[in-house]
Amino acid sequence: QVQLVESGGGLVQAGGSLRLSCAASGRTFSRYAMGWFRQAPGKERENVAAISKSGLGTAYADSVKGRFTISRDNAKNTVFLQMNSLKLEDTAVYYCAAGPLMLGEYDFWGQGTQVTVSS
């Protein structure tokens, strides 16, 4: 069992930056690939970034490529999402998730953190 707690969301102006963090409980963090997802009102959930267990592999949605960076610190059981050049359309609730494969199904989810980008 893995418990995930996101933090770092908030209100930011377009063009600004935010860094999301997701802290995981337990001693098995390095056994899981991690992903960041987002869901805006009325829209489907989108997988915006994923990272492999070791951190050597990453993947991004086209909508965030070049602006967002996912990273992890296995010693601190934490995964990060650095978000730069934020756009209005990045407004959503952001969730982190843990699963066996970077591009597979995710088994454990955090409660989400709101990111709001204003003009």
Side-chain angles (χ1 to χ4, degrees):
Q1 190 80 5
V2 177
Q3 292 184 328
L4 304 171
V5 179
E6 302 96 336
S7 61
L11 176 65
V12 63
Q13 285 191 325
S17 299
L18 279 177
R19 189 192 195 203
L20 304 183
S21 299
C22 174
S25 64
R27 294 176 290 180
T28 60
F29 179 70
S30 62
R31 297 181 186 178
Y32 293 94
M34 300 296 296
W36 282 99
F37 294 76
R38 68 185 181 187
Q39 187 164 24
K43 295 189 176 181
E44 292 188 355
R45 185 174 64 195
E46 177 184 21
N47 185 344
V48 297
I51 190 166
S52 64
K53 300 170 188 178
S54 66
L56 294 178
T58 57
Y60 297 93
D62 288 342
S63 57
V64 307
K65 201 170 293 184
R67 300 187 297 120
F68 290 12
T69 303
I70 188 171
S71 61
R72 67 189 295 163
D73 184 339
N74 284 347
K76 296 183 177 180
N77 285 8
T78 305
V79 62
F80 305 96
L81 186 67
Q82 178 66 43
M83 305 186 295
N84 298 329
S85 302
L86 283 162
K87 303 176 180 180
L88 297 179
E89 54 263 40
D90 294 320
T91 295
V93 178
Y94 284 71
Y95 301 88
C96 70
L101 297 173
M102 191 171 75
L103 299 179
E105 294 291 326
Y106 285 80
D107 300 319
F108 304 103
W109 295 80
Q111 83 288 350
T113 187
Q114 176 71 47
V115 171
T116 302
V117 184
S118 65
S119 58

